[in-house]
Amino acid sequence: MAESVFDHRTIRDIHDEIRQVYLADDRPWILGYSGGKDSTCMVQLIWDALASLPASKLRKSIYVISSDTLVESPKIVQQITDTLDMMERAARKASLPISTNLVRPKIEDSFWVCLLGKGFPAPSNLFRWCTDRLKIRNADRFIKEKVSEYGEAIVVLGTRRDESGSRQQLMSLYEIKGSLLSRHSKFPSTYVYTPVRDFTAKDVWNYLLQNRNPWGSNNRDLLALYQNAKAAECPLVVDTNTPSCGNSRFGCWTCTVVDKDTSLRNTIRNGEEWMQPLLELRQELKDTQDPVMRKKVRSLRRRTGQMKLVDEMRRKSFQERIEKARGEREGKPAKPDPYEVLAPGPYTMEFRVQFLEKLLLAEQKVRREGPDPTMSLIREEEIREIQRIWRMEWGDWRNTAYMVYEKIAGRRLYAADDTDGFGGMEQDILEKTCAETGVPARLVAELLNAEARHRGMTKHSRIFREINRILGEEWRDNMDDIIEDLEQKRLNTKRYGGASR
């Protein structure tokens, strides 16, 4: 069991250290605040330490940043927003150079645009695309803006060595000998300071419960949140080494990296039954990772328009099963299952449309039964971006996302300039004509969309490159031929070198 920091240091010692680091230079501080116990303890220590300095020494800016992934637990989003507002007001009243900032992902990086628009599969340990897009990039943008403005910056985090062995190793890796600062894992002009690095979890709670919160929150309410959900904290994420927060009271309700979202279940059991639709949606996404379900909801054609063989170890294992099946069938040839041979691509359009409808229905339900009648599970601008992607990548001229929204919400979302001259009637004609001629409707739709995008451009070389790219995609239906060609390309690559597509 780790020893308490207070066995060899006092609160005054820690405050003195914080003041020493703050006064050592003019580099601004960027405090990562998640709303959990560790980051709350870190901010409160800094606040109390600087409150005793004269106004003449409080010249260095301090920016408190929190990340809203837009799929956070709804209760936590409101709590963090309210807390940041309280901090801002209290800092002005105390004449402290502290400002607060809520950073969000860009629209093209949002969870629903990636999952429903682009068809990204539910995040897993093998493809954890969400952390970088929803958390790291937001903090990185803010840090880079301040480094550009000031030349250098210091990121202050509530990380502790006691969290895990891997956390301790990571913190040690970037230490600067003889300095209280560490190197940032990515940015050369940025440093990291961790004032609670030697705290245990018990130390954190002892400090929070024995010292008044300076911006007016009640730390005992924070303790109650942890007790109700029986979960840990999700820190402000600054690198991909941070583990998933799916089991955290402060994680995303959509997290499928973990097997079960125990915190969300416990929250519902403790009286928040209105959150049940969120748990059901999350479970449906988790179910799509099952190998059997994967075949029903994942396309084999990737967003690049190509298909890809699975890795050779998995392919070899499948070939062995094929040979065994052939023997059992007395020599009859066994056709390979494309989903065993080809790597799965994005979600099918059918699944995306159905899930969007379920998401909007759940939004209506939580508005009726939850504490906030205006709560949003997906923003209108996300639906607009989803529809833009569907039009460009799938030839969805009917504007299906808008139709689903109107069906559930009871009002129209799109404007006239969303159509590019093509609509549902044109799509019906296109699909009928293509069916009669044996040409993929999506191929023709992509070509027409490309022409519309390049309309009015003086250089024709760009549209020619775009046409060549589209025609070079995989449009065949015969899976046996596709697999055979891909196998031959892989064999040629082994023999002669080079990259196979």
Side-chain angles (χ1 to χ4, degrees):
M1 184 176 180
E3 63 176 2
S4 169
V5 67
F6 299 119
D7 288 344
H8 50 87
R9 299 182 72 190
T10 64
I11 292 294
R12 183 172 181 176
D13 293 333
I14 297 167
H15 284 171
D16 286 344
E17 178 195 289
I18 292 170
R19 286 189 284 263
Q20 174 193 337
V21 177
Y22 178 80
L23 296 172
D25 52 58
D26 294 326
R27 292 175 289 190
W29 279 12
I30 301 171
L31 278 55
Y33 176 73
S34 70
K37 69 180 191 308
D38 295 337
S39 60
T40 300
C41 180
M42 176 268 293
V43 175
Q44 186 169 327
L45 279 167
I46 291 171
W47 192 299
D48 290 340
L50 300 187
S52 63
L53 288 176
S56 59
K57 293 187 176 183
L58 293 172
R59 294 175 296 179
K60 188 161 75 172
S61 298
I62 297 178
Y63 303 94
V64 178
I65 65 170
S66 286
S67 180
D68 177 9
T69 65
L70 302 177
V71 283
E72 304 283 345
S73 173
K75 288 177 67 67
I76 297 305
V77 173
Q78 190 59 51
Q79 177 194 330
I80 291 178
T81 302
D82 292 345
T83 300
L84 292 181
D85 289 342
M86 293 172 70
M87 282 186 186
E88 190 90 32
R89 291 194 299 269
R92 281 198 300 267
K93 186 175 181 180
S95 298
L96 291 174
I98 296 175
S99 61
T100 61
N101 305 265
L102 192 63
V103 295
R104 294 187 173 99
K106 290 184 176 181
I107 188 69
E108 63 267 25
D109 288 334
S110 80
F111 184 85
W112 297 121
V113 168
C114 287
L115 189 133
L116 298 178
K118 302 173 186 177
F120 285 11
S124 65
N125 283 318
L126 294 177
F127 187 29
R128 191 176 150 196
W129 54 264
C130 51
T131 304
D132 180 60
R133 288 172 174 81
L134 304 186
K135 295 187 177 183
I136 297 176
R137 291 182 188 179
N138 310 326
D140 283 357
R141 274 198 309 275
F142 190 92
I143 292 169
K144 286 189 283 189
E145 286 173 6
K146 297 309 170 187
V147 169
S148 176
E149 182 180 351
Y150 293 95
E152 290 185 338
I154 295 174
V155 177
V156 188
L157 300 175
T159 49
R160 300 179 292 105
R161 299 180 190 277
D162 184 53
E163 290 178 54
S164 66
S166 59
R167 173 60 64 188
Q168 183 171 356
Q169 290 178 353
L170 196 63
M171 292 176 70
S172 300
L173 179 64
Y174 294 104
E175 282 182 347
I176 300 174
K177 191 173 182 180
S179 173
L180 291 169
L181 303 181
S182 301
R183 291 178 289 111
H184 194 277
S185 60
K186 285 188 288 188
F187 305 129
S189 299
T190 307
Y191 299 87
V192 176
Y193 175 45
T194 51
V196 297
R197 60 192 176 277
D198 296 323
F199 278 53
T200 64
K202 186 176 180 180
D203 291 337
V204 169
W205 283 120
N206 283 340
Y207 176 77
L208 290 175
L209 298 179
Q210 293 174 17
N211 294 273
R212 184 183 62 85
N213 185 291
W215 54 85
S217 293
N218 190 332
N219 291 337
R220 292 195 177 276
D221 291 341
L222 180 63
L223 176 62
L225 285 176
Y226 278 83
Q227 290 173 331
N228 287 340
K230 298 181 176 64
E233 174 175 4
C234 182
L236 184 85
V237 179
V238 295
D239 57 54
T240 53
N241 296 302
T242 305
S244 167
C245 301
N247 274 329
S248 166
R249 181 64 180 87
F250 302 93
C252 301
W253 67 265
T254 55
C255 184
T256 51
V257 177
V258 295
D259 289 333
K260 291 184 179 180
D261 191 332
T262 54
S263 64
L264 185 54
R265 291 174 185 274
N266 288 330
T267 301
I268 293 169
R269 290 193 189 105
N270 281 291
E272 305 292 346
E273 291 90 353
W274 62 271
M275 296 179 72
Q276 182 65 32
L278 277 62
L279 184 64
E280 293 170 359
L281 288 172
R282 182 261 173 200
Q283 187 58 49
E284 182 166 348
L285 289 179
K286 183 64 180 178
D287 290 342
T288 65
Q289 296 175 345
D290 178 78
V292 176
M293 181 61 70
R294 189 187 303 144
K295 296 180 182 181
K296 300 178 181 179
V297 299
R298 299 276 293 277
S299 169
L300 291 174
R301 188 175 186 269
R302 308 175 84 76
R303 290 187 71 220
T304 59
Q306 305 301 329
M307 295 189 186
K308 180 183 177 182
L309 292 172
V310 297
D311 64 83
E312 289 201 62
M313 289 296 291
R314 183 176 162 191
R315 172 70 171 146
K316 183 179 178 182
S317 172
F318 178 69
Q319 288 285 14
E320 290 173 353
R321 294 201 301 274
I322 286 291
E323 293 302 325
K324 183 179 179 181
R326 280 177 178 164
E328 292 173 351
R329 295 174 188 175
E330 300 176 353
K332 292 182 181 179
K335 278 193 174 184
D337 181 351
Y339 282 89
E340 292 279 2
V341 182
L342 299 171
Y347 284 128
T348 63
M349 270 296 291
E350 181 182 11
F351 173 80
R352 298 188 221 179
V353 172
Q354 290 175 352
F355 197 90
L356 174 61
E357 182 169 345
K358 292 176 181 178
L359 178 62
L360 289 169
L361 285 170
E363 182 178 81
Q364 295 295 315
K365 189 171 184 179
V366 298
R367 285 177 175 178
R368 291 193 306 270
E369 300 178 3
D372 182 2
T374 64
M375 184 178 297
S376 293
L377 300 184
I378 181 171
R379 297 180 298 166
E380 291 185 359
E381 52 263 46
E382 290 179 282
I383 297 176
R384 290 186 184 277
E385 180 63 10
I386 288 168
Q387 183 56 61
R388 186 193 69 81
I389 294 171
W390 287 2
R391 286 182 66 84
M392 292 300 102
E393 296 188 4
W394 288 85
D396 177 27
W397 299 342
R398 294 190 182 94
N399 289 325
T400 305
Y402 296 155
M403 292 171 62
V404 171
Y405 181 85
E406 184 176 355
K407 173 184 173 183
I408 304 303
R411 63 188 182 89
R412 291 193 172 189
L413 185 61
Y414 62 92
D417 58 2
D418 287 335
T419 63
D420 289 329
F422 301 127
M425 184 176 68
E426 287 80 9
Q427 186 165 348
D428 291 339
I429 295 171
L430 175 66
E431 289 176 352
K432 180 181 178 182
T433 304
C434 288
E436 292 172 351
T437 56
V439 177
R442 184 175 168 190
L443 166 60
V444 179
E446 283 198 31
L447 290 170
L448 289 170
N449 285 333
E451 190 277 333
R453 285 197 301 272
H454 291 82
R455 192 178 300 152
M457 290 188 176
T458 55
K459 290 186 178 181
H460 291 169
S461 58
R462 293 183 179 178
I463 180 98
F464 293 148
R465 285 197 297 269
E466 182 78 353
I467 289 172
N468 285 332
R469 181 192 65 78
I470 294 171
L471 293 177
E473 295 177 7
E474 183 58 78
W475 297 105
R476 293 176 293 176
D477 293 326
N478 191 315
M479 286 296 174
D480 292 341
D481 289 347
I482 294 171
I483 293 170
E484 184 178 347
D485 286 351
L486 290 172
E487 290 281 18
Q488 188 61 50
K489 286 180 182 179
R490 176 179 281 180
L491 184 60
N492 290 342
T493 300
K494 282 185 177 181
R495 286 177 178 173
Y496 308 116
S500 64
R501 187 170 63 182

